[in-house]
mmCIF file of all heavy atoms in Angstrom:
data_model
loop_
_atom_site.group_PDB
_atom_site.id
_atom_site.type_symbol
_atom_site.label_atom_id
_atom_site.label_comp_id
_atom_site.label_asym_id
_atom_site.label_seq_id
_atom_site.Cartn_x
_atom_site.Cartn_y
_atom_site.Cartn_z
ATOM 1 N N MET B 319 9.838 8.131 -11.206
ATOM 2 C CA MET B 319 11.035 7.497 -11.680
ATOM 3 C C MET B 319 12.210 8.443 -11.524
ATOM 4 O O MET B 319 13.278 8.075 -11.068
ATOM 5 C CB MET B 319 10.879 7.080 -13.141
ATOM 6 C CG MET B 319 12.023 6.178 -13.594
ATOM 7 S SD MET B 319 11.995 5.948 -15.389
ATOM 8 C CE MET B 319 10.929 4.518 -15.511
ATOM 9 N N ILE B 334 16.173 0.112 -17.774
ATOM 10 C CA ILE B 334 15.023 0.927 -17.510
ATOM 11 C C ILE B 334 14.064 0.880 -18.719
ATOM 12 O O ILE B 334 14.432 0.379 -19.769
ATOM 13 C CB ILE B 334 15.520 2.407 -17.255
ATOM 14 C CG1 ILE B 334 14.536 3.173 -16.455
ATOM 15 C CG2 ILE B 334 15.844 3.070 -18.561
ATOM 16 C CD1 ILE B 334 15.152 4.041 -15.452
ATOM 17 N N LEU B 335 12.848 1.341 -18.551
ATOM 18 C CA LEU B 335 11.938 1.394 -19.661
ATOM 19 C C LEU B 335 11.956 2.782 -20.289
ATOM 20 O O LEU B 335 12.292 3.791 -19.648
ATOM 21 C CB LEU B 335 10.526 1.102 -19.168
ATOM 22 C CG LEU B 335 10.261 -0.336 -18.753
ATOM 23 C CD1 LEU B 335 8.908 -0.461 -18.112
ATOM 24 C CD2 LEU B 335 10.362 -1.251 -19.976
ATOM 25 N N ASP B 336 11.541 2.859 -21.548
ATOM 26 C CA ASP B 336 11.668 4.121 -22.239
ATOM 27 C C ASP B 336 10.681 5.150 -21.802
ATOM 28 O O ASP B 336 10.739 6.310 -22.225
ATOM 29 C CB ASP B 336 11.592 3.927 -23.761
ATOM 30 C CG ASP B 336 10.213 3.410 -24.186
ATOM 31 O OD1 ASP B 336 9.326 3.228 -23.366
ATOM 32 O OD2 ASP B 336 10.037 3.179 -25.425
ATOM 33 N N CYS B 337 9.797 4.750 -20.865
ATOM 34 C CA CYS B 337 8.891 5.817 -20.373
ATOM 35 C C CYS B 337 9.651 6.814 -19.493
ATOM 36 O O CYS B 337 9.058 7.788 -19.020
ATOM 37 C CB CYS B 337 7.723 5.223 -19.609
ATOM 38 S SG CYS B 337 8.118 3.952 -18.468
ATOM 39 N N ILE B 338 10.920 6.517 -19.303
ATOM 40 C CA ILE B 338 11.743 7.522 -18.574
ATOM 41 C C ILE B 338 11.834 8.807 -19.420
ATOM 42 O O ILE B 338 12.011 9.891 -18.899
ATOM 43 C CB ILE B 338 13.104 6.960 -18.245
ATOM 44 C CG1 ILE B 338 13.854 7.888 -17.282
ATOM 45 C CG2 ILE B 338 13.946 6.760 -19.512
ATOM 46 C CD1 ILE B 338 15.179 7.366 -16.792
ATOM 47 N N GLY B 339 11.761 8.636 -20.733
ATOM 48 C CA GLY B 339 11.797 9.781 -21.611
ATOM 49 C C GLY B 339 13.159 10.445 -21.699
ATOM 50 O O GLY B 339 14.084 10.183 -20.924
ATOM 51 N N ASP B 340 13.286 11.293 -22.701
ATOM 52 C CA ASP B 340 14.572 11.987 -22.892
ATOM 53 C C ASP B 340 14.871 12.817 -21.674
ATOM 54 O O ASP B 340 16.031 12.929 -21.240
ATOM 55 C CB ASP B 340 14.472 12.885 -24.112
ATOM 56 C CG ASP B 340 14.551 12.066 -25.424
ATOM 57 O OD1 ASP B 340 15.183 10.996 -25.387
ATOM 58 O OD2 ASP B 340 13.998 12.510 -26.426
ATOM 59 N N VAL B 358 17.788 0.581 -22.271
ATOM 60 C CA VAL B 358 16.498 1.259 -22.283
ATOM 61 C C VAL B 358 15.568 0.401 -23.157
ATOM 62 O O VAL B 358 15.726 0.295 -24.370
ATOM 63 C CB VAL B 358 16.598 2.673 -22.893
ATOM 64 C CG1 VAL B 358 15.231 3.332 -22.880
ATOM 65 C CG2 VAL B 358 17.593 3.520 -22.080
ATOM 66 N N PHE B 359 14.562 -0.201 -22.505
ATOM 67 C CA PHE B 359 13.663 -1.116 -23.189
ATOM 68 C C PHE B 359 12.363 -0.377 -23.577
ATOM 69 O O PHE B 359 11.980 0.566 -22.871
ATOM 70 C CB PHE B 359 13.323 -2.301 -22.302
ATOM 71 C CG PHE B 359 14.474 -3.197 -22.018
ATOM 72 C CD1 PHE B 359 15.255 -3.033 -20.867
ATOM 73 C CD2 PHE B 359 14.819 -4.227 -22.886
ATOM 74 C CE1 PHE B 359 16.334 -3.870 -20.607
ATOM 75 C CE2 PHE B 359 15.914 -5.038 -22.618
ATOM 76 C CZ PHE B 359 16.660 -4.867 -21.500
ATOM 77 N N PRO B 360 11.716 -0.841 -24.610
ATOM 78 C CA PRO B 360 10.485 -0.175 -24.986
ATOM 79 C C PRO B 360 9.329 -0.603 -24.091
ATOM 80 O O PRO B 360 9.161 -1.812 -23.835
ATOM 81 C CB PRO B 360 10.259 -0.634 -26.440
ATOM 82 C CG PRO B 360 10.929 -1.938 -26.516
ATOM 83 C CD PRO B 360 12.068 -1.928 -25.513
ATOM 84 N N SER B 361 8.564 0.336 -23.616
ATOM 85 C CA SER B 361 7.378 -0.038 -22.856
ATOM 86 C C SER B 361 6.196 -0.260 -23.740
ATOM 87 O O SER B 361 5.234 -0.872 -23.344
ATOM 88 C CB SER B 361 7.071 1.050 -21.831
ATOM 89 O OG SER B 361 7.090 2.312 -22.444
ATOM 90 N N ASP B 362 6.341 0.177 -24.966
ATOM 91 C CA ASP B 362 5.252 0.028 -25.912
ATOM 92 C C ASP B 362 5.832 -0.321 -27.261
ATOM 93 O O ASP B 362 5.972 0.546 -28.093
ATOM 94 C CB ASP B 362 4.419 1.292 -26.003
ATOM 95 C CG ASP B 362 3.245 1.098 -26.888
ATOM 96 O OD1 ASP B 362 2.950 -0.039 -27.315
ATOM 97 O OD2 ASP B 362 2.612 2.136 -27.201
ATOM 98 N N PRO B 363 6.163 -1.594 -27.453
ATOM 99 C CA PRO B 363 6.970 -1.929 -28.609
ATOM 100 C C PRO B 363 6.332 -1.608 -29.943
ATOM 101 O O PRO B 363 7.039 -1.382 -30.921
ATOM 102 C CB PRO B 363 7.150 -3.474 -28.470
ATOM 103 C CG PRO B 363 6.749 -3.786 -27.111
ATOM 104 C CD PRO B 363 5.868 -2.736 -26.600
ATOM 105 N N ASN B 368 5.009 7.440 -30.624
ATOM 106 C CA ASN B 368 5.208 7.702 -29.205
ATOM 107 C C ASN B 368 6.639 8.017 -28.978
ATOM 108 O O ASN B 368 7.455 7.140 -28.802
ATOM 109 C CB ASN B 368 4.869 6.388 -28.441
ATOM 110 C CG ASN B 368 3.591 6.525 -27.714
ATOM 111 O OD1 ASN B 368 2.954 7.548 -27.704
ATOM 112 N ND2 ASN B 368 3.208 5.446 -27.057
ATOM 113 N N ALA B 369 6.982 9.263 -28.977
ATOM 114 C CA ALA B 369 8.385 9.615 -28.884
ATOM 115 C C ALA B 369 8.852 9.430 -27.432
ATOM 116 O O ALA B 369 9.103 10.382 -26.759
ATOM 117 C CB ALA B 369 8.646 11.018 -29.348
ATOM 118 N N ALA B 370 8.968 8.212 -27.044
ATOM 119 C CA ALA B 370 9.362 7.930 -25.664
ATOM 120 C C ALA B 370 10.799 8.344 -25.417
ATOM 121 O O ALA B 370 11.078 9.173 -24.536
ATOM 122 C CB ALA B 370 9.184 6.458 -25.391
ATOM 123 N N VAL B 371 11.720 7.759 -26.180
ATOM 124 C CA VAL B 371 13.066 8.286 -26.127
ATOM 125 C C VAL B 371 13.548 8.449 -27.551
ATOM 126 O O VAL B 371 13.195 7.690 -28.448
ATOM 127 C CB VAL B 371 14.065 7.399 -25.331
ATOM 128 C CG1 VAL B 371 13.718 7.377 -23.868
ATOM 129 C CG2 VAL B 371 14.197 6.038 -25.921
ATOM 130 N N PHE B 392 16.472 1.173 -27.208
ATOM 131 C CA PHE B 392 15.318 1.128 -28.077
ATOM 132 C C PHE B 392 14.764 2.534 -28.198
ATOM 133 O O PHE B 392 14.445 3.146 -27.167
ATOM 134 C CB PHE B 392 14.271 0.200 -27.541
ATOM 135 C CG PHE B 392 14.545 -1.249 -27.676
ATOM 136 C CD1 PHE B 392 15.365 -1.921 -26.765
ATOM 137 C CD2 PHE B 392 14.040 -1.989 -28.718
ATOM 138 C CE1 PHE B 392 15.634 -3.242 -26.903
ATOM 139 C CE2 PHE B 392 14.290 -3.340 -28.847
ATOM 140 C CZ PHE B 392 15.120 -3.968 -27.927
ATOM 141 N N CYS B 393 14.647 3.058 -29.409
ATOM 142 C CA CYS B 393 14.204 4.435 -29.511
ATOM 143 C C CYS B 393 13.336 4.629 -30.742
ATOM 144 O O CYS B 393 13.238 3.753 -31.584
ATOM 145 C CB CYS B 393 15.420 5.392 -29.581
ATOM 146 S SG CYS B 393 16.478 4.979 -30.983
ATOM 147 N N GLN B 394 12.754 5.773 -30.780
ATOM 148 C CA GLN B 394 11.854 6.112 -31.896
ATOM 149 C C GLN B 394 12.618 6.517 -33.134
ATOM 150 O O GLN B 394 12.193 6.278 -34.255
ATOM 151 C CB GLN B 394 10.899 7.249 -31.492
ATOM 152 C CG GLN B 394 9.778 6.801 -30.582
ATOM 153 C CD GLN B 394 8.851 5.811 -31.216
ATOM 154 O OE1 GLN B 394 8.601 5.865 -32.443
ATOM 155 N NE2 GLN B 394 8.321 4.933 -30.428
ATOM 156 N N LEU B 419 12.720 1.580 -33.458
ATOM 157 C CA LEU B 419 11.552 0.752 -33.517
ATOM 158 C C LEU B 419 10.996 0.551 -34.903
ATOM 159 O O LEU B 419 10.482 -0.488 -35.256
ATOM 160 C CB LEU B 419 10.474 1.280 -32.575
ATOM 161 C CG LEU B 419 10.800 1.144 -31.081
ATOM 162 C CD1 LEU B 419 9.769 1.803 -30.205
ATOM 163 C CD2 LEU B 419 10.956 -0.319 -30.700
#
Side-chain angles (χ1 to χ4, degrees):
Chain B
M319 191 191 271
I334 204 140
L335 290 172
D336 64 0
C337 47
I338 192 175
D340 286 331
V358 181
F359 292 95
S361 47
D362 183 10
N368 252 358
V371 293
F392 285 82
C393 58
Q394 284 296 327
L419 291 175

